[in-house]
Amino acid sequence: MKKMKIGVVGAGFMGKAHCVALSNMPKLFTDAPYVPVFKTVCDVVPEIAEDFKERFSFEKACTDYMEVINDPEIDIVCVCTPNDSHAEISIAALKAGKHVICEKPIATKTEDAKAMAKAAEEAAKKGIVSMCGYQYRRVPAIDEAKKIIESGRLGEITNVRAQYLQSWSADPRSPLSWRFVKETAGAGTLGDIFTHALDIAQYLAGNVTDVVSMVKTYIKERPVQEGGVDLLGTVKLGDDAKKQVVDVDDEVSVLCKYDSGAIGSIEATRMAWGRNNYLTVEVHGTKGSLTWNYERLNELEVCYGMEDNDGERGFRKIYTGPANPHGDVTWNIPGMNIGYGELKAIEAYEFAKAVVGGYQPSTSFTAGYQLDRVCDAILESDEKKAWVKVK
Ligand SMILES: NC(=O)c1ccc[n+]([C@@H]2O[C@H](COP(=O)([O-])OP(=O)(O)OC[C@H]3O[C@@H](n4cnc5c(N)ncnc54)[C@H](O)[C@@H]3O)[C@@H](O)[C@H]2O)c1
């Protein structure tokens, strides 16, 4: 079976997610295009890189990503670092002829996102593939939702309501990691989780053309976490910890118009007590509706309103399984369920198919740049207190 050598840059949460996914991809998909060989892991913290190398059986650990880029044996680079380094690492990797899967959001600045899209388009001419880590559109229930929408059974899509609600930063003692600093994150909730909800909404309803928004920061300063992986609110720092001003948003609320003619709303917050990974989408059409929540990701609820009789109308629950998109990774019976690990393996599989097939996946760098432009319009709308067109 074909083998591809992997370099991973950034050995935190996403480094782990990519490596677990890559290991599982050929085990879950019988037609997996290749088997990964873990060549080099890079992290600026040497102990993190060394520990990761041991646990994932990499051949080598390093602290300078250029060692990954300059290694002629490496075919694929997974960019799993904080947002401010995505552009320099991804562009260097593409120029060196590596296929690149880069975590989202694409970059911290519009000019960097644009440069990444340009570098990806140039590299594509030589058969080099790149992709952003927007995996939620690849949940089997979301692909099933897309099939149902495209079949016309819901009629014309009128409204899309999407939400991404989390609570891990609701406690003011939850530390200020790189995610709360504009220079490293670019934005707060907006880039971190809002873009996932936006990506799903656009996948199902077309591109957003106009927005009006409210963007808020509730906790204006936090105790500082120095370096290392973001602990995502799992520790609380005491009153004696050094404090730093938060210069990114905690919450975003947006009304949208889509190029399909649909309208809708998208909101995201990391401050919603009681909500964990509450990523939801509800789609209304002239003949029916559907609704989905990541916290029960294997279930899609559909109401074929115009097909049902009065008195019998309501949502029916589909448990996704072997008969649904990417059924190969699910277990043999609907309801046995997949989780985050299998979802990232689906993403790795889609990336692998694109690499071997020589085409750009739907979550290309160009798509990442488009999401970034919607985010720019959202920030501009909040500032101007007016509707803004996506440029
Ligand atoms: N797709 C998703 O669902 C999802 C989920 C979480 C995070 N992310 C994205 O993944 C990226 C990484 O987030 P994370 O949660 O894994 O962060 P993390 O804090 O857990 O890990 C980041 C790691 O990168 C290392 N690092 C920082 N700069 C580096 C550099 N220049 N070279 C090498 N290593 C470097 C850090 O030391 C740390 O170990 C971010 O862009 C984030 O937005 C995506």
Side-chain angles (χ1 to χ4, degrees):
M1 198 168 174
K2 191 176 171 68
K3 291 194 166 41
M4 293 291 248
K5 293 207 170 172
I6 310 289
V8 171
V9 187
F13 173 21
M14 276 303 109
K16 169 174 143 184
H18 280 250
C19 291
V20 170
L22 277 162
S23 307
N24 285 336
M25 188 260 290
K27 298 172 183 125
L28 291 166
F29 287 96
T30 48
D31 62 344
Y34 50 73
V35 172
V37 176
F38 291 128
K39 180 79 202 294
T40 304
V41 57
C42 168
D43 198 287
V44 281
V45 181
E47 304 77 48
I48 292 179
E50 275 301 328
D51 171 66
F52 203 90
K53 173 190 158 225
E54 291 304 314
R55 288 189 299 114
F56 284 92
S57 301
F58 275 84
E59 289 172 25
K60 193 179 155 195
C62 67
T63 54
D64 178 357
Y65 76 83
M66 283 311 291
E67 283 189 42
V68 174
I69 308 293
N70 289 332
D71 183 342
E73 282 194 3
I74 289 179
D75 304 295
I76 291 168
V77 178
C78 304
V79 182
C80 300
T81 54
N83 313 340
D84 60 331
S85 50
H86 289 179
E88 70 176 75
I89 301 170
S90 299
I91 293 171
L94 287 170
K95 285 193 173 151
K98 321 276 186 213
H99 304 288
V100 177
I101 177 163
C102 175
E103 267 310 328
K104 46 51 60 182
I106 185 164
T108 49
K109 300 187 195 106
T110 311
E111 59 267 28
D112 284 351
K114 188 175 182 181
M116 286 172 77
K118 189 160 177 273
E121 281 158 24
E122 284 304 311
K125 292 178 193 157
K126 298 177 203 144
I128 305 296
V129 170
S130 44
M131 177 165 163
C132 291
Y134 285 107
Q135 75 278 352
Y136 291 118
R137 67 160 66 189
R138 305 189 189 283
V139 172
I142 293 292
D143 264 326
E144 189 62 42
K146 192 168 169 67
K147 269 173 59 189
I148 291 169
I149 290 168
E150 286 175 354
S151 77
R153 274 180 92 181
L154 303 186
E156 195 182 315
I157 301 308
T158 52
N159 198 304
V160 182
R161 294 176 167 85
Q163 293 178 313
Y164 202 157
L165 314 180
Q166 297 182 329
S167 60
W168 60 268
S169 71
D171 189 326
R173 294 167 302 166
S174 176
L176 185 142
S177 63
W178 64 262
R179 275 188 172 76
F180 296 88
V181 181
K182 190 164 186 223
E183 202 182 326
T184 39
T189 297
L190 179 65
D192 191 22
I193 58 172
F194 180 95
T195 52
H196 278 302
L198 171 64
D199 182 58
I200 291 182
Q202 293 198 130
Y203 186 53
L204 297 179
N207 279 354
V208 169
T209 56
D210 301 74
V211 293
V212 65
S213 66
M214 285 185 292
V215 178
K216 297 279 278 184
T217 305
Y218 299 115
I219 298 178
K220 311 270 187 209
E221 61 168 25
R222 288 179 184 271
V224 179
Q225 179 201 318
E226 307 277 5
V229 300
D230 181 2
L231 299 167
L232 290 165
T234 53
V235 292
K236 312 283 173 245
L237 297 181
D239 288 341
D240 51 336
K242 188 180 125 197
K243 293 233 166 71
Q244 191 177 312
V245 169
V246 173
D247 58 0
V248 296
D249 57 278
D250 286 323
E251 182 161 314
V252 186
S253 265
V254 183
L255 290 178
C256 312
K257 294 181 197 168
Y258 291 82
D259 58 7
S260 59
I263 60 168
S265 60
I266 309 178
E267 44 180 350
T269 179
R270 300 184 295 206
M271 304 278 296
W273 284 118
R275 297 300 183 199
N276 296 298
N277 206 44
Y278 195 84
L279 170 60
T280 65
V281 66
E282 181 155 315
V283 178
H284 299 167
T286 50
K287 294 185 186 167
S289 298
L290 57 82
T291 185
W292 171 85
N293 175 359
Y294 180 84
E295 289 183 358
R296 303 191 68 85
L297 81 159
N298 296 275
E299 299 168 18
L300 177 66
E301 293 190 72
V302 189
C303 171
Y304 293 115
M306 292 292 280
E307 294 176 24
D308 292 341
N309 297 322
D310 286 348
E312 293 174 356
R313 210 163 269 137
F315 282 100
R316 68 169 76 164
K317 193 177 284 181
I318 298 168
Y319 288 91
T320 55
N324 300 103
H326 288 312
D328 343 31
V329 292
T330 52
W331 306 102
N332 294 354
I333 298 171
M336 282 182 163
N337 295 343
I338 63 163
Y340 193 74
E342 286 105 332
L343 176 56
K344 277 301 224 190
I346 293 176
E347 178 180 70
Y349 171 70
E350 286 298 335
F351 182 70
K353 275 199 310 185
V355 164
V356 170
Y359 61 88
Q360 302 303 310
S362 65
T363 47
S364 64
F365 280 10
T366 304
Y369 174 44
Q370 187 273 340
L371 290 165
D372 185 79
R373 294 201 309 276
V374 179
C375 291
D376 284 347
I378 288 168
L379 293 174
E380 189 183 332
S381 164
D382 176 60
E383 216 174 284
K384 292 186 172 159
K385 313 275 175 262
W387 280 94
V388 167
K389 280 204 176 300
V390 177
K391 296 186 184 80

